[in-house]
Amino acid sequence: GAVVSQHPSRVICKSGTSVKIECRSLDFQATTMFWYRQFPKQSLMLMATSNEGSKATYEQGVEKDKFLINHASLTLSTLTVTSAHPEDSSFYICSARQIQNNEQFFGPGTRLTVL
Amino acid sequence: AQSVTQLDSQVPVFEEAPVELRCNYSSSVSVYLFWYVQYPNQGLQLLLKYLSGSTLVKGINGFEAEFNKSQTSFHLRKPSVHISDTAEYFCAVSEGNFNKFYFGSGTKLNVKP
């Protein structure tokens, strides 16, 4: 089956620093990738839709200047949490939509802890 | 926007007993339905999906789900659970062409020996 990877799997950073998370589709091309956020003991909430070669579409309430998304190629999307604060600590999960059949495949997630 | 309801936040069950995890969604338009499992500190693993066709869908690990359009439900079932099934289960709905996914709040299945 299609595989989506995320890097890093875990990251701890100091408040005020920026953190970049990568999402890669390993064996398929994805014109569209999605970024989700999962708070402890809660469900996944869609943050933004990342489209290759164009600007990301953010969900209501998500700060686009804080969560920068770049979808530079058909296999890579990055999420940069800028000037991270402790309240940004969360589990970030990406998914990639396969071009051939539009199915979405989820990455293993990135645990971000901001001290 | 879609609304996905998983009424049971936690379901305790003994090993080898049957289990049903409930999921209801709000939309009356055509949707795609999914069940995912999440083990601690891991991402989502697809259990099964309903796209079209037979309303009874069989997935991995012995799970199955039934799509009921009139009741807008997609309940997940397993006739005999194992300890290894202990995890959190998420129901999800996608409208149209696999665009946005809307997730339920999750159900923690705790299988006891």
Side-chain angles (χ1 to χ4, degrees):
Chain A
V3 178
V4 176
S5 71
Q6 283 185 240
H7 178 79
S9 57
R10 289 176 175 269
V11 57
I12 300 173
C13 69
K14 293 182 179 179
S15 186
T17 61
S18 294
V19 174
K20 180 186 284 188
I21 303 170
E22 292 186 349
C23 176
R24 292 183 185 271
S25 56
L26 297 185
D27 49 4
F28 66 98
Q29 292 184 326
T31 54
T32 305
M33 292 184 174
F34 303 86
W35 287 96
Y36 295 83
R37 184 173 180 176
Q38 185 180 26
F39 288 105
K41 301 182 181 181
Q42 295 187 31
S43 188
L44 283 77
M45 298 298 293
L46 179 64
M47 298 174 64
T49 302
S50 166
N51 298 297
E52 187 267 338
S54 65
K55 290 184 179 180
T57 303
Y58 291 81
E59 295 298 300
Q60 191 172 7
V62 178
E63 300 175 59
K64 59 180 68 176
D65 293 331
K66 180 165 189 63
F67 298 100
L68 300 179
I69 291 173
N70 183 281
H71 195 151
S73 75
L74 290 174
T75 59
L76 173 64
S77 175
T78 60
L79 168 69
T80 301
V81 183
T82 62
S83 186
H85 292 285
E87 56 265 31
D88 298 323
S89 298
S90 190
F91 195 50
Y92 292 87
I93 299 177
C94 74
S95 69
R97 188 166 71 186
Q98 194 172 33
I99 292 177
Q100 292 91 325
N101 57 14
N102 285 320
E103 285 198 43
Q104 277 197 43
F105 298 92
F106 287 82
T110 297
R111 173 77 60 193
L112 170 64
T113 303
V114 184
L115 302 177
Chain B
Q2 278 284 345
S3 171
V4 182
T5 302
Q6 291 181 246
L7 287 173
D8 306 305
S9 60
Q10 296 194 46
V11 173
V13 63
F14 287 105
E15 194 174 18
E16 297 183 5
V19 71
E20 179 180 81
L21 307 183
R22 296 180 291 169
C23 173
N24 289 85
Y25 62 96
S26 62
S27 176
S28 59
V29 301
S30 294
V31 293
Y32 300 136
L33 298 157
F34 305 80
W35 274 99
Y36 289 89
V37 60
Q38 185 180 37
Y39 297 99
N41 295 313
Q42 294 187 29
L44 301 179
Q45 180 181 3
L46 179 65
L47 276 178
L48 48 78
K49 60 188 176 188
Y50 171 79
L51 306 182
S52 65
S54 173
T55 57
L56 182 62
V57 180
K58 292 189 183 297
I60 63 171
N61 300 341
F63 284 94
E64 63 180 34
E66 184 151 21
F67 169 56
N68 189 317
K69 188 174 182 179
S70 62
Q71 296 187 7
T72 59
S73 68
F74 191 55
H75 300 331
L76 180 71
R77 292 190 284 263
K78 186 169 182 177
S80 176
V81 295
H82 301 288
I83 297 288
S84 59
D85 293 323
T86 295
E88 189 155 19
Y89 293 79
F90 290 96
C91 178
V93 168
S94 176
E95 290 178 341
N97 213 9
F98 294 101
N99 215 357
K100 294 183 181 181
F101 270 57
Y102 300 89
F103 285 86
S105 53
T107 298
K108 287 189 176 179
L109 177 63
N110 184 14
V111 181
K112 303 176 180 180

